[in-house]
Amino acid sequence: MDTRRLGATGPVVSALGLGLMGMSDLYGPADEAESVATIHAALDAGVNLLDTGDFYGMGHNELLVREALRGRARDSAVISVKFGGLRDPDGGFTGQDGRPAAVKNFAAYTLRRLGTDHIDVYRPSRLDPNVPIEDTVGAIKELIEAGHVRHVGLSEVGADTLRRAAAVHPIADLQIEYSLLSRGIEQEILPAARDLGIGITAYGVLSRGLLSGRWSSDRALTAGDFRGFSPRFQGENLEHNLKLVEALRSVAAEKEVTVAQVAIAWVAAQGTDIVPLVGARTRARLAESLGATGFSLSEAELKAIEAAVPAGAAAGARYDAGSMQALDSER
């Protein structure tokens, strides 16, 4: 497994990371034994970047990481944790808390659930509109000084917020959606991150399954799967987006790889400062994703991919209207 550094100051990680959210939340039921086996398979394949959140399954995901790392050296994994998302007992989202006291409280619970003495990369999941980013990052800086955290990360923030945060403490990486269907970061956010020496960990590289090559318009969704109300999966939007996938399938077939593999490889090819996160929930899907690291894309192939799925071609926003309003990166 090749490695890449998260920004100018962050840790060295595998060229592909594993996003764990779907093992606990938002995509319907998951098999816990298979989830642990998938994490083990990733680690054994050299994938050391594990991305979680304290609100994924209201703590379940962090406990899953603890179980998966049991008996393994702590430094076999770089654990990236998002915090700040507030939930209610029914699983609903009720806001964001980036107050310094809350940051330290969240970290205390995360350390206990993970069974570790430090978090490798710690990041607010969203910008708290009521708390200056300087205060939130300042609290993480104090956690670093105390030895509880190694690096500061951010998630879904815009260029101005990146600059303000970086003035307080070096930022290892910005976690943000980036795929063939979601290219909004290319205008301002990605150039700002590069100017500041901040890496990108790209989630949603398969657009929540749309670019997997296995989605169909008649697929039934289980309860709790947020794609049931995601704009890109609705009606005419879905039909339009699936036509883009079919165009991409032709390029993948010429390369003798899968649609998912070419979509992941395209993200990785956008710069060595970008690490794709794949949300594989099973060993089979992980194995397919790992196949994306086994080939490179030529200039001609990159042009063919972008001709199949041009920038801005996706129909529908990446989140519902309420969730989009909460994204500093979309302002």
Side-chain angles (χ1 to χ4, degrees):
M1 175 64 64
D2 291 336
T3 59
R4 297 182 173 189
R5 182 177 294 279
L6 294 184
T9 62
V12 174
V13 301
S14 49
L16 195 69
L18 183 62
L20 307 179
M21 181 187 74
M23 296 179 179
S24 299
D25 220 345
L26 299 176
Y27 287 113
D31 182 278
E32 189 161 316
E34 180 61 24
S35 295
V36 171
T38 301
I39 297 172
H40 286 168
L43 293 168
D44 292 342
V47 175
N48 71 340
L49 178 59
L50 303 180
D51 182 76
T52 183
D54 63 8
F55 52 92
Y56 291 169
M58 285 70 83
H60 174 268
N61 207 245
E62 290 179 326
L63 293 171
L64 192 70
V65 172
R66 178 176 184 161
E67 177 62 27
L69 293 181
R70 192 181 304 277
R72 293 179 181 248
R74 171 63 182 86
D75 62 3
S76 66
V78 175
I79 305 176
S80 165
V81 179
K82 289 182 288 298
F83 67 86
L86 302 178
R87 309 290 295 268
D88 62 29
D90 296 320
F93 287 86
T94 60
Q96 186 76 18
D97 195 344
R99 296 171 301 143
V103 173
K104 295 175 182 179
N105 178 74
F106 291 137
Y109 281 84
T110 283
L111 290 167
R112 177 61 62 91
R113 283 189 292 261
L114 289 174
T116 184
D117 64 351
H118 71 277
I119 303 162
D120 293 294
V121 187
Y122 203 44
R123 70 183 81 243
S125 63
R126 296 288 187 269
L127 179 69
D128 184 340
N130 300 312
V131 179
I133 190 62
E134 291 86 350
D135 292 356
T136 303
V137 171
I140 304 175
K141 178 181 179 181
E142 291 178 4
L143 288 169
I144 291 173
E145 292 168 348
H148 303 306
V149 171
R150 297 284 172 81
H151 303 280
V152 180
L154 293 172
S155 177
E156 287 289 356
V157 299
D160 289 344
T161 302
L162 275 180
R163 297 186 184 97
R164 290 169 54 197
V168 177
H169 190 276
I171 307 300
D173 70 316
L174 168 65
Q175 189 173 120
I176 195 163
E177 185 168 355
Y178 188 37
S179 73
L180 280 165
L181 296 182
S182 298
R183 297 180 59 176
I185 73 169
E186 293 176 343
Q187 300 303 311
E188 296 182 4
I189 295 174
L190 183 55
R194 286 174 167 161
D195 286 344
L196 295 164
I198 298 172
I200 299 292
T201 43
Y203 76 87
V205 293
L206 296 183
S207 294
R208 297 160 178 85
L210 268 177
L211 292 172
S212 68
R214 292 181 296 277
W215 202 271
S216 64
S217 58
D218 59 354
R219 177 167 172 170
L221 297 175
T222 58
D225 193 324
F226 90 105
R227 289 171 293 193
F229 51 85
S230 176
R232 289 183 177 171
F233 289 83
Q234 309 307 310
E236 293 181 358
N237 286 349
L238 178 59
E239 295 297 337
H240 171 88
N241 293 331
L242 288 177
K243 289 179 182 178
L244 298 175
V245 175
E246 290 310 304
L248 185 61
R249 194 186 303 278
S250 297
V251 180
E254 183 73 19
K255 183 75 172 174
E256 297 185 338
V257 298
T258 69
V259 174
Q261 287 169 342
V262 80
I264 295 167
W266 179 86
V267 174
Q270 302 313 300
T272 57
D273 54 348
I274 298 173
V275 176
L277 296 173
V278 296
R281 300 200 296 172
T282 67
R283 284 167 285 180
R285 295 285 73 80
L286 173 68
E288 181 182 16
S289 295
L290 289 172
T293 67
F295 62 89
S296 59
L297 295 169
S298 68
E299 286 299 320
E301 288 166 339
L302 288 169
K303 288 180 180 178
I305 291 167
E306 297 208 21
V309 188
R318 56 194 182 103
Y319 287 106
D320 63 88
S323 298
M324 289 292 285
Q325 290 178 357
L327 296 177
D328 182 64
S329 56
E330 293 288 340
R331 294 173 187 168

